[in-house]
Amino acid sequence: HVKKFSKLSFSSKVNPILINKETLTVGWAKLKQDQPWLLREKLVVKPDMLFGKRGKYGLVKVNATIEEVKQFVAERIDKPVKIGDVEGILTHWIIEPFVIHEAEFYFSIESLREHTLVRFSPKGGIDVEENWDAIRNLEVPVGENIAQQSKDVLDSFLNGVPSHLYNATMAYITTMFDLFEALDFVSIETNPFTLIKAEESETENSVDGWQPVPLDMCAEVDDTALFKQVRNWGDMSFPDAFGNYKTDEEKHVEELDAKTGASLKFTLLRPAPQGRIWTLVAGGGASVIFADTVVDLHQSGYLGNYGEYSGGPNAEQTYEYAKTVLQVATQFPDKQGRVLLIGGGIANFTDVAKTFKGIVHALKEFKEQLLACNFRIYVRRAGPNYKKGLELMKLVGKELKLPVYVYGPEHTMTEIIPMAIDYIKETTVE
């Protein structure tokens, strides 16, 4: 994409390779065969995950041979490490050529409401925070780019850059800004980036014979722009934050959500039996209100999940969603009671009876598990076809011999929560 905005392109030294445990165990020989330059050049290896200060944490190996890289990664991969206050597993690593360089610069772009903030420092690298006073800010108004800023402003912004690197540095920053705007980035940070002499075959893609090499880069894109960036972004996946790993059930609901125009969301907060309050809530706003009410009533320690279904899912989709929630909610039965809150506001267009058919199907499938876990079910719903839906819930309670308490619009949607919490308190074993 860089070539669309400038003749400048990254040096061929920018050649990262992503590896994981499978690469180390079964794919190492193939990696060396497919990438023979790994055997010839000195290398850098570091985790490719969502956290910074990798050098500060001793997680970067530089000027290493391919076998030294393998040993370094093998000693650390899939092992827990604490980064700040968060503990996680190092699963993905990146191998790059080791680049000898003379200067390290800091550069970042951040999209804000009133402008785009560009930061630069001639003192980049591992100690950039200790030299934070050297960072300059450039506020680019919405709709403008860096090239439109005055020469005096830009000269001051890049003060400290050696004169022989000035033009290439300016070209890199200008190009990255244009790329940032065109591809709907939220932020980009390169710390550090450097400039190296272009190989003879790459001089046409250089400025004054220099090419940029981002030695470390992180970026965030606006995922709401996916619909218009499909071709540009390609097959992009959005990784979880470091230390946050999705369960199989969370991944399954994500897959369901991706296949439907409706919305299906599920986050496991506490597995059973610690999780004793479980929700099947219609609507994103209602899901927040239900969770907040549980917290306000000082029972957050029992809340098993957070999630919602909305946007008119059909019976099959709500069945799959409800089944996934019940799978985790009915694990490890003990003598204490558990509750399932099936609720929501007054639907605008979602057919309540249709969605309840899917939930009823799942309840029937989990009859024995629900009874074993001493579940009580509390229902409050309104909207199109709600009377038929509530009748379905009453009937399934009788059929399964489960205590099901059903309410319509004559009650507020949160009235069922204190009822459920009273049952939790009654059945708590100290």
Side-chain angles (χ1 to χ4, degrees), residues 232-246:
N232 290 327
W233 290 357
D235 186 18
M236 178 181 287
S237 60
F238 295 93
D240 295 326
F242 180 71
N244 180 23
Y245 300 101
K246 287 186 171 62

Side-chain angles (χ1 to χ4, degrees), residues 200-357:
E200 187 174 342
S201 60
E202 296 183 286
T203 52
E204 289 186 359
N205 298 320
S206 68
V207 172
D208 296 340
W210 297 93
Q211 283 185 297
V213 178
L215 298 174
D216 203 5
M217 175 182 287
C218 64
E220 179 183 357
V221 295
D222 182 354
D223 61 354
T224 63
L226 179 60
F227 74 98
K228 69 173 183 174
Q229 296 287 0
V230 170
R231 292 185 180 178
N232 290 327
W233 290 357
D235 186 18
M236 178 181 287
S237 60
F238 295 93
D240 295 326
F242 180 71
N244 180 23
Y245 300 101
K246 287 186 171 62
T247 64
D248 290 341
E249 291 81 11
E250 289 170 327
K251 292 175 183 176
H252 179 59
V253 172
E254 278 192 351
E255 291 171 2
L256 294 174
D257 182 62
K259 295 174 183 176
T260 175
S263 175
L264 302 170
K265 301 292 186 287
F266 173 72
T267 300
L268 180 64
L269 302 177
R270 291 167 191 82
Q274 183 185 0
R276 297 171 60 196
I277 302 172
W278 299 85
T279 64
L280 287 172
V281 180
S287 66
V288 174
I289 293 171
F290 268 67
D292 281 353
T293 304
V294 172
V295 173
D296 287 343
L297 295 173
H298 310 292
Q299 302 302 315
S300 60
Y302 292 127
L303 190 59
N305 71 301
Y306 176 77
E308 58 99 10
Y309 65 90
S310 60
N314 60 36
E316 179 62 26
Q317 290 162 348
T318 51
Y319 160 69
E320 285 291 336
Y321 178 75
K323 184 178 72 171
T324 304
V325 175
L326 293 177
Q327 281 174 344
V328 291
T330 57
Q331 292 177 349
F332 309 112
D334 55 14
K335 295 179 180 180
Q336 302 185 105
R338 303 179 193 180
V339 296
L340 178 64
L341 303 173
I342 303 175
I346 300 176
N348 293 317
F349 60 89
T350 298
D351 187 319
V352 174
K354 184 171 66 176
T355 55
F356 274 12
K357 281 181 181 178

Side-chain angles (χ1 to χ4, degrees), residues 281 286 289-294 297 339-346 377-381 405-423:
V281 180
I289 293 171
F290 268 67
D292 281 353
T293 304
V294 172
L297 295 173
V339 296
L340 178 64
L341 303 173
I342 303 175
I346 300 176
I377 300 172
Y378 295 84
V379 182
R380 190 278 183 184
R381 195 71 166 109
Y405 303 88
V406 179
Y407 304 93
E410 71 279 3
H411 292 268
T412 63
M413 66 179 176
T414 56
E415 279 186 65
I416 63 174
I417 299 175
M419 304 176 194
I421 288 174
D422 284 343
Y423 175 64

